[in-house]
Amino acid sequence: TKLNLLIANQDNSLEMDHIVSFSNGGSHTFNNFIPSCKKCNHSKKANKLEDWYKQQTFFKNEILEKIRK
């Protein structure tokens, strides 16, 4: 339990992010989740994944195409 709490507090820990945010009508289903680092997940907030991703310095069109599939 202590280790899990330590990992959860790290900025580079992974979280499950909604592709379409729940607040925008997205579902809690497997095909609407994508792994995301904690920092990215929190900065994306309720924005559309594609819109948010295109603004990032690490954006790559080939990765976006994989996300769309």
Side-chain angles (χ1 to χ4, degrees), residues 7-64:
I7 292 171
N9 289 325
Q10 298 296 315
D11 281 343
N12 61 351
S13 63
L14 286 178
E15 299 181 341
M16 294 307 291
D17 188 12
H18 290 87
I19 295 170
V20 177
S21 69
F22 191 69
S23 62
N24 287 322
S27 61
H28 289 307
T29 57
F30 184 76
N31 63 345
N32 191 40
F33 286 121
I34 191 166
S36 175
C37 74
K38 185 176 184 176
K39 185 176 179 181
C40 289
N41 189 13
H42 290 228
S43 74
K44 180 180 155 278
K45 300 180 182 175
N47 295 307
K48 293 181 180 178
L49 176 63
E50 189 170 326
D51 295 342
W52 173 86
Y53 182 56
K54 286 179 178 178
Q55 297 174 1
Q56 303 310 304
T57 58
F58 50 84
F59 171 78
K60 291 186 179 180
N61 198 49
E62 57 270 16
I63 300 296
L64 180 58

